């Protein structure tokens, strides 16, 4: 089993659609969770940190379910500019290994006019 | 402006040559990381350093070497022992300590072995 697994893509959606990405992680000791966005041939950029209570930033909502070891990202009212690959990222463990992040393989989103 | 810089952006190397990729940050972060990304794949950790003069191997360290003589700098050398070095190389940095320590990335170096 991969340490971080994401929905296989690509997701092709029309502008204005709501799209949800799912991610599962295998290490129950993980304590930090993130969603990054990566545009084609560019570096990943932090989109959101994911907190236990869930958090929202404009059109983006992230949820964490520790019991199920599951993370989600919801994008409402999709824009053309949301087209990118979305990376689910989990820290490896607590303690001095906690800085190490494990990246999912990414889910590609394409928003069409 | 605070950030992470990598140079060069594109690098071409002949087989059998060593090459060094530069990574500099002015975010005052203690930790720095090197990743490799191949087409259609996720990021894989090569080396990381949580403090000056100390570094650890990541998941795919073979054929690579690093140094951390200054807090701001974490150069990566791709040696001739690396069997398949053509890839997109990304450097990142983060704070250390408790809590969420997001990693911030430089723009990357695309290495092509001819």
């Amino acid at each position: 089993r991969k340490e971080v697994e994401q929905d296989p893509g690509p997701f092709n959606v029309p502008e204005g659609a709501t799209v949800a990405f799912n991610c599962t992680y295998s290490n129950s000791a993980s304590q930090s969770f993130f969603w990054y966005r990566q545009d084609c041939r560019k570096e990943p950029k932090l989109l959101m940190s994911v907190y236990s209570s869930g958090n929202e930033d404009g059109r983006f909502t992230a949820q964490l379910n520790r019991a199920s070891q599951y993370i989600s990202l919801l994008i409402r009212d999709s824009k053309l500019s949301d087209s990118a690959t979305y990376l689910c990222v989990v820290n490896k463990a607590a303690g001095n290994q906690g800085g190490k992040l494990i990246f999912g393989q990414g889910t590609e989103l394409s928003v069409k006019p | 402006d605070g950030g992470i810089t990598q140079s060069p952006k594109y690098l071409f190397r002949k087989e059998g040559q060593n090459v060094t990729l530069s990574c500099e940050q002015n975010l005052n972060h203690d930790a720095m990381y090197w990743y490799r990304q191949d087409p259609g794949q996720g990021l894989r950790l090569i080396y990381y350093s949580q403090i000056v003069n100390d570094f650890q191997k990541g998941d795919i360290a073979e054929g690579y070497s690093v140094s951390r003589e200054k807090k701001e700098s974490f150069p990566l050398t791709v040696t001739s022992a690396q069997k398949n070095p053509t890839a997109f190389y990304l450097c990142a940095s983060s704070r250390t300590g408790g809590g969420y320590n997001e990693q911030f990335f430089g723009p990357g170096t695309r290495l092509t072995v001819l």
Side-chain angles (χ1 to χ4, degrees), chain B residues 4-13 17-24 32-37 46 63-68 72-79 82 85-92 107-113:
Chain B
I4 305 173
T5 57
Q6 290 185 243
S7 61
K9 188 172 182 180
Y10 298 96
L11 187 58
F12 298 89
R13 187 195 92 175
Q17 288 181 336
N18 292 356
V19 64
T20 297
L21 282 56
S22 168
C23 178
E24 304 276 333
M32 296 186 75
Y33 311 81
W34 274 104
Y35 294 90
R36 166 185 175 136
Q37 187 174 36
I46 304 172
Y64 299 98
S65 65
V66 292
S67 62
R68 187 85 187 278
E72 302 80 21
S73 179
F74 191 40
L76 173 75
T77 296
V78 185
T79 75
Q82 169 49 235
T86 295
F88 186 35
Y89 289 88
L90 289 156
C91 178
T109 293
R110 291 196 179 274
L111 173 64
T112 302
V113 174

Side-chain angles (χ1 to χ4, degrees), chain A residues 36 38 41 43 49-50 99, chain B residues 33 37 100 102-103 106 110:
Chain A
Y36 280 73
Q38 187 173 23
R41 299 180 67 81
E43 75 273 24
S49 300
V50 186
Chain B
Y33 311 81
Q37 187 174 36
Y100 275 52
E102 296 89 347
Q103 290 185 16
R110 291 196 179 274

Side-chain angles (χ1 to χ4, degrees), chain A residues 11-21 59-61 73-79 82 109 111:
Chain A
F11 282 36
N12 297 301
V13 303
E15 269 188 291
T18 295
V19 60
F21 300 131
R59 297 180 295 107
F60 299 85
T61 301
L73 175 68
L74 185 75
I75 305 176
R76 291 181 299 278
D77 189 22
S78 300
K79 310 292 185 192
D82 293 333
L109 172 66
V111 182

Side-chain angles (χ1 to χ4, degrees), chain A residues 31-34 36 38 41-44 46 49-51 87 96-97 99-101 103-105, chain B residues 10 33 35 37 41-43 45 48 50 59 88 90 99-107 110:
Chain A
Q31 296 185 347
S32 304
F33 310 90
F34 310 93
Y36 280 73
Q38 187 173 23
R41 299 180 67 81
K42 299 285 191 182
E43 75 273 24
L46 180 67
S49 300
V50 186
Y51 302 112
L87 307 174
N96 64 359
Q97 293 283 305
K100 291 175 67 176
L101 298 182
F103 287 76
Q105 79 277 17
Chain B
Y10 298 96
Y33 311 81
Y35 294 90
Q37 187 174 36
Q41 297 191 32
L43 278 67
L45 182 65
Y48 67 105
Q50 293 186 301
D59 301 317
F88 186 35
L90 289 156
Y100 275 52
N101 292 320
E102 296 89 347
Q103 290 185 16
F104 297 92
F105 286 83
R110 291 196 179 274

